[in-house]
């Protein structure tokens, strides 16, 4: 075999190896795996060379491999030129007798970096070596592009799933607290965020209400500092905020560096905002920020609809004038209580001489009196007690798990408070009834006994409380 034949066979073997290398690189869809495989290949094929990758994108592999960020400075002129022009560049070190080649990592859509190869004790690279390194760098560029596109598509699928799940949560029949908690968990999981907060503003935009689903940090004093700072910042900027390495004049003991803050608008009106934070600088990418913007904007309409639906549900169960519950809501709650509780007390209330008030002062004052009495009721019952408008000038209170004696005492306190806090001064009469599980009291008899006791109170002097009599107890 002559020299030419051996050279041709060596060249064929070399390009066969390049094909196998390209095949191996293109099978790597994970960037870390791709870079790891590349340096194994370089070590096997260029053990006598020094090499380095200059990359234009961020990677966590710099500590393990000879990777540098591509920067435009005096030390990297040839590398920057190879990247900018997409053409191979050369350098020669006369003192060290080194030949250096910079081969761009070119894909179809762009250049992703530069491969630097250093041949020790050489003045120049052979033409065949230049061609091989150029083809190898091109193969690496295409492999990086494929891996990045694959990762982007995977991320896009994850993003779409996140958006879809968030929309489902907001448009579901879940309570706002449950929906916000689920969204918060999804953001923490998808973005690996340490703190997530959701906030709504009062109509005057002076105060901020923290929504359920926010992480506990925002309930702390330090968290409140961030809330107020970004509220003012958003009101001033009227736009979303992205800080890769946050520095401010805030004097806080626990500083977060990566912060995203996105406002929620209804039309042109700022209704609230969201804050996502992490201690590490540059933790959130700009793509993450854009996704959060899309997520919040995508969900803002659903959030507003959710709030409107809750307000509508509240209107359905609330009397428009007194803001007490409706009679239908009261009936439902009493029936539910009679199934799960052991006892309960019902108070039926009537405003004394209400027709005379309307005739003397007018119906507008009559309405004001109803509101005043309703306010006294709301101020003197527990959160789990139910105050309701029974009809006309009659109001009602249901006290779950309260005995007849205690219920009667509450009614007596109530008539005293009404007389003290009404203007023009009015009085009320109360009929009190009671149920107990062991006595098999019925739902209908509870109302009947209270109505009969109220009739006695009205016909025996008014401004008084009458409780059900003994002969009613088993009816």
């Amino acid at each position: 075999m002559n020299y030419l034949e051996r050279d041709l066979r060596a060249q064929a073997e070399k390009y066969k190896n390049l094909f196998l290398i390209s095949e191996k690189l293109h099978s790597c869809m994970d960037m870390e795996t791709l870079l790891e495989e590349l340096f194994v290949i370089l070590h096997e094929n260029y053990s006598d060379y020094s090499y380095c990758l200059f990359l234009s994108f961020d990677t966590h592999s710099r500590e393990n491999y000879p990777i540098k960020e591509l920067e435009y400075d005096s030390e990297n002129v040839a590398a920057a030129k190879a990247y900018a022009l997409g053409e191979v560049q050369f350098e020669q070190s006369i003192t060290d007798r080194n030949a250096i080649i910079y081969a761009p990592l070119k894909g179809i859509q762009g250049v992703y970096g530069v491969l630097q190869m250093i041949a020790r004790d050489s003045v120049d690279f052979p033409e065949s070596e230049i061609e091989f390194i150029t083809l190898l760098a091109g193969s690496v560029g295409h492999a990086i592009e494929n891996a990045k596109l694959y990762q982007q598509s995977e991320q896009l699928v994850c993003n779409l799933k996140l958006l879809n799940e968030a929309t489902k949560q907001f448009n579901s029949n879940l309570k706002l607290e449950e929906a916000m908690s689920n969204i918060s968990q999804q953001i923490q999981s998808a973005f690996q965020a340490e703190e997530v907060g959701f906030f709504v503003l009062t109509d005057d935009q002076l105060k901020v209400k923290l929504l359920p689903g926010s992480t506990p940090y925002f309930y702390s004093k330090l968290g409140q500092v961030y809330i107020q700072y970004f509220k003012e910042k958003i009101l001033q900027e009227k736009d979303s905020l992205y800080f890769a390495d946050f520095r401010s004049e805030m004097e806080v003991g626990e500083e977060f560096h990566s912060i995203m803050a996105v406002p929620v608008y209804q039309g042109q009106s700022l209704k609230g905002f969201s804050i996502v934070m992490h201690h590490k600088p540059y933790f959130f990418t700009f793509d993450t920020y854009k996704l959060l913007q899309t997520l919040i904007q995508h969900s803002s309409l659903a959030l507003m609809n959710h709030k409107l639906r809750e307000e509508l549900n509240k209107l359905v169960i609330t009397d428009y004038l007194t803001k007490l519950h409706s009679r239908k809501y009261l009936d439902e709650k009493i029936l539910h209580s009679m199934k799960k509780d052991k006892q309960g007390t019902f108070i039926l209330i009537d405003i004394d001489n209400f027709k005379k008030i309307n005739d003397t002062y007018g119906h507008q004052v009559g309405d004001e009196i109803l509101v005043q009495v309703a306010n006294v009721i709301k101020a003197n019952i527990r959160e789990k007690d139910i105050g309701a408008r029974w009809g006309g000038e009659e109001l009602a209170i249901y006290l779950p798990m309260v005995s007849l004696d205690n219920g009667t005492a509450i009614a007596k306190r109530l008539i005293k408070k009404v007389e003290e806090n009404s203007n023009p001064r009015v009085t009320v009469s109360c009929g009190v009834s009671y149920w107990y599980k062991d006595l098999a009291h019925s739902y209908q008899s509870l109302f009947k006994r209270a109505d009969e006791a109220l009739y006695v109170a009205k016909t025996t002097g008014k401004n008084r409380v009458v409780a059900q009599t003994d002969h009613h107890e088993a009816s």
Side-chain angles (χ1 to χ4, degrees), residues 57-69:
F57 57 91
D58 186 40
T59 175
H60 298 294
S61 303
R62 295 175 190 171
E63 294 179 0
N64 305 320
Y65 305 113
I67 296 176
K68 295 180 181 179
E69 185 177 357

Side-chain angles (χ1 to χ4, degrees), residues 270-368:
L270 179 65
K271 294 296 182 181
F273 57 98
S274 175
I275 301 176
V276 179
M277 306 195 298
H278 198 282
H279 277 98
K280 291 183 179 179
Y282 302 97
F283 187 81
F284 302 128
T285 65
F286 193 73
D287 287 339
T288 303
Y289 165 62
K290 300 302 289 185
L291 174 60
L292 181 64
Q293 277 187 304
T294 304
L295 176 64
I296 299 301
Q297 291 165 4
H298 198 65
S299 303
S300 60
L301 180 59
L303 178 60
M304 292 302 123
N305 288 339
H306 206 295
K307 288 185 68 178
L308 288 172
R309 188 162 63 243
E310 286 193 336
E311 290 175 8
L312 180 61
N313 290 337
K314 191 175 180 181
L315 285 173
V316 170
I317 65 170
T318 305
D319 175 63
Y320 78 97
L321 177 63
T322 63
K323 300 301 183 284
L324 292 171
H325 290 297
S326 66
R327 180 168 176 175
K328 181 177 181 297
Y329 180 82
L330 175 72
D331 291 347
E332 290 173 354
K333 289 299 180 180
I334 293 177
L335 281 169
H336 181 68
S337 174
M338 294 183 88
K339 288 179 182 177
K340 72 178 186 70
D341 296 330
K342 291 183 178 180
Q343 62 180 348
T345 293
F346 177 67
I347 305 172
L348 193 56
I349 305 160
D350 185 80
I351 300 175
D352 297 327
N353 305 314
F354 190 72
K355 184 178 182 304
K356 185 178 179 182
I357 293 169
N358 281 332
D359 292 343
T360 304
Y361 300 102
H363 288 278
Q364 185 175 349
V365 174
D367 287 347
E368 291 175 4

Side-chain angles (χ1 to χ4, degrees), residues 123-139:
V123 177
D124 210 345
F125 284 88
E127 283 295 327
S128 61
E129 205 64 70
I130 293 172
E131 184 180 8
F132 186 86
I133 292 173
T134 303
L135 290 172
L136 174 62
S139 183

